[in-house]
Amino acid sequence: MTVLVDPAMWPWRDRLWAHLVSDTSYDELHGFAERLGIPRRAFQGDHYDIPDVLREQAIALGAESVTGRELVTRLRASGLRTQKVR
């Protein structure tokens, strides 16, 4: 299992947010998010945004803390990265 979480540094609604991804499968990611209590409707195409208060819980459950750059690099390498439509 490889679920990754980057630093919570994205401000929105008076909180800081992080990204939660899997470099293995979406099924793994959805299962992990469910363990955190995150609803499936919060899925953002290839990741979940999680508030800083859930980041530490995600790490305690086994998510690997990585930099934002490493998260994107590993997500792209896995083939699970979605492209934004312009």
Side-chain angles (χ1 to χ4, degrees), residues 5-42:
V5 63
D6 66 359
M9 58 185 259
W10 304 99
W12 188 64
R13 293 192 176 182
D14 298 324
R15 286 187 159 174
L16 293 177
W17 296 77
H19 299 105
L20 186 73
V21 306
S22 170
D23 67 358
T24 305
S25 74
Y26 291 132
D27 288 338
E28 174 186 54
L29 178 58
H30 295 315
F32 196 92
E34 186 176 326
R35 289 173 54 203
L36 286 171
I38 301 169
R40 179 77 175 262
R41 69 180 178 274

Side-chain angles (χ1 to χ4, degrees), residues 11-79:
W12 188 64
R13 293 192 176 182
D14 298 324
R15 286 187 159 174
L16 293 177
W17 296 77
H19 299 105
L20 186 73
V21 306
S22 170
D23 67 358
T24 305
S25 74
Y26 291 132
D27 288 338
E28 174 186 54
L29 178 58
H30 295 315
F32 196 92
E34 186 176 326
R35 289 173 54 203
L36 286 171
I38 301 169
R40 179 77 175 262
R41 69 180 178 274
F43 184 60
Q44 300 287 316
D46 59 10
H47 72 279
Y48 286 90
D49 292 332
I50 63 169
D52 53 356
V53 296
L54 285 184
R55 184 178 183 276
E56 294 304 317
Q57 186 178 349
I59 293 168
L61 288 173
E64 181 181 344
S65 176
V66 296
T67 65
R69 181 171 291 209
E70 183 175 353
L71 182 138
V72 171
T73 298
R74 290 173 62 178
L75 185 58
R76 284 183 180 150
S78 73

